[in-house]
Amino acid sequence: MLGYTLMALSQHFFINEFVMKRNTIALSLLLGLSSVSYTQAQTKSCITVDGVRIVDLNKDGKLQPYEDIRLPDSKRTADLMSRLTIDEKIDLVMGTGMKGFEGLIQGMVVGGTEYLVPGAAGTTFPLEKYGIPAIVMTDGPAGVRISPTRKNTSDTFYATGFPVGTLLASTWDTKLIERVGEALGNEVLEYGSDIQLAPALNIMRNPLCGRNYEYYSEDPVVSGKIAVAMTNGIQANGSGVSLKHYAANNSEKNRMDLNVHVSQRALREIYLRGFEIAVKESNPATIMSSYNKINGKYTFADYDLLTTILRDEWGFRGLVMTDWFGGYSDALKALQNKTVEHNTSQQLKAGNDLLMPGIPAQKQDIIKDLQSGSLTEKDLDICVERILNMIFASNTMRGYKFSNKPDLKAHALVARQVAAEGMVLLENNRVLPLASNVNKLAVFGSLSYSFIAGGTGSGDVNKAYVISLTEGLTNAGYVIDQKLSNLYVPFVEKETARVKEQMKSNPLALVPLMPQPQLKESLIRESAVNNDLAIITIGRSSGEMDDRKIEDDFYLTKEEQDLIEKVSTQYHALGKKVVVVINVGGQVETESWKGKTDALLQAWLPGQEGGNAVADILTGKVNPSGKLTMTFPVRYEDVSSADNFQGLPADKPTDVMYKEGVYVGYRYFDSFGVKPAYEFGYGLSYTKFDYSNIRLNDRDFDKELYVSIDIKNSGSVAGKEVVQLYLSAPQGSIDKPVKELKAFAKTKLLQPGEAQTLVFRITPKDLASFNEQQSAWIADKGVYRVEVGASSQKIKHTEAFSLSSTSVVERVNNVMDKIVEFNDMRR
């Protein structure tokens, strides 16, 4: 009743701003309310009662249906669309990196939204005539990337630098990841953004992909489930996410003109499956299409990818946007009004609703195609409707007053917790946790003094600080060798300054590897005498635009190998231990040197609290519980895509064949008997866990099946265990991997002697493989083996059940087939 009273009074009394303000006071007195207020934002006026936005009004005081917040968003959208001109509709499908398009012609994109949220990636186009605001979008997967300082204020606007995707996924803890998402989403909300351009869940097809650090796993189930948790956490704040990069964006070199040739089966089972899980289980607000082609068609202009599969088969109802300047084989030339390959109208008709950030050439394309009839207004309306639905659902449209004051201290604690829980202990020769008599530490490696918190490009975050390893150890009460510190600190400061100056001319350039200072053996020997233990950090950064290299990247440099050799020799001669911390977003080769060390900790790129989190692990404050979500190969050549990773021609690849098919990561290593350095799912703990009492609720599969197992902490300290369920299917009519992950769970913190029962659900689709001849997911009849264990190769218990007859689990459309014939790898 109150809403209707306010509506009637507003329509009758509120004629202009002065009268609106005056009658708001009268209304407050009339209704006995103490918190009725009038506000005006952009060109839209509104009344708020008890903090709830009740009514929007135009300047003339007349309320239209699209302004009536009591109506469903769908009706408001339909009403507004009936009023829009064709030019206004064109404006809506064109995003912007700033107010207007002038700056884009000059090449300015990210950081151009100064009039709303400085440093944001872009916005939608505002329709001020209707009071439709610009919706702000911010990068990225590791935090809200905005400008940390602004003109005319001494306030700062730093965001929390959370750990990168590889670390987050290595927790295998969906509840914890949802908490991270909630914290990140709160910063999205309080800094005035509406859409966070995350999570990123492309498959780690090869260790060298430059953006693997942003991604979650080589396995689609892990990728999908972690993306679900992150999406649910962020969107709990009313903000939206943008799942990216859809799809098969698995390398960076020449990414805007790369044609990925992949079989339907590999596409469905490996590269689309994680997105399918995320869409069906978390309802993401938006999805970002990738730059590349799949089987001859650009993803952002592929109707079958964006509509047939995404919307018709999976039921996605949100908005699809391009990646920035997606739609052009060469964006720089497009900005300079040079002729390059593009397909603006095809994108819109395919289901790519929003062109980001939108450039004048695209607008001219749309106008020309509307005039020729190759694009219809109905095509445009479909995209506009989805954009308006997103806008009406946004916090900005709801009138949320953001504070610019998120609780960064609380979020830093979350960042520290998840960083420690995602680190993976690879080796431990009775050295960790550090004994109580270890106090003096010799810390080697340039990056010990300047920890890499995250990657470059859109995955970077402007954070207030980064805790280095030496700072974290000092905070934990250890004494750091001062002679070494006096040598490393000025060297690192000089190198950091040099790189910053070098990158001013190209902010998107990859950060070069930090060199090591020359250390005299006498200094190393002296440190071994004077200290209790040595710690060495090996690190790498990576990012957009290019991929990692094999030599001096996947493999350690000669100076890094020499450092490990010299330090280990001197310390072991005195019976002292050496710990190596790997500060890298993905895999590095370890087989040739790990035997020279006593403990090996994969710390990933752990965010701003990285040094503290490493110290938490080393001291035993946190018992390591992270496990690998990708396989560490002994040699690069052992990877199934080693000889066809980036494609051909090598200098500027335009075509890449995914000939390994479904045999990506552990599916290849386990099925072909290739020994890894560390297998998928591997990770050590300071305690031990017993697996017992595996049970199936039935021996014959019918619709679903439940598997339970008891996990007991049989060690002496509290800890958590990641439990993985694999399924081995009968071969049937198509070749299959020896086993595939179907479910996982992480225990609570189990005290010594404490046990927990975990229950897993197996669905018909878990049994199925994609059969290209039938365009269907088929579950073959026969015996299925359930394998529950601590990694893909440490299976603790097995059981079996039967499927009495071959079943068609799901029929799908026969789309996105190969255009070049090649055979997928087979066992």
Side-chain angles (χ1 to χ4, degrees), residues 197-216:
L197 303 176
L201 62 152
N202 293 102
I203 291 296
M204 297 176 187
R205 174 175 175 253
N206 186 284
L208 301 184
C209 176
R211 296 182 80 174
N212 272 355
Y213 74 91
E214 287 188 330
Y215 305 149
Y216 294 139

Side-chain angles (χ1 to χ4, degrees), residues 174-189:
T174 54
K175 290 181 180 178
L176 179 57
I177 300 308
E178 188 163 344
R179 280 185 55 210
V180 173
E182 289 170 357
L184 198 163
N186 177 258
E187 294 187 23
V188 176
L189 176 70

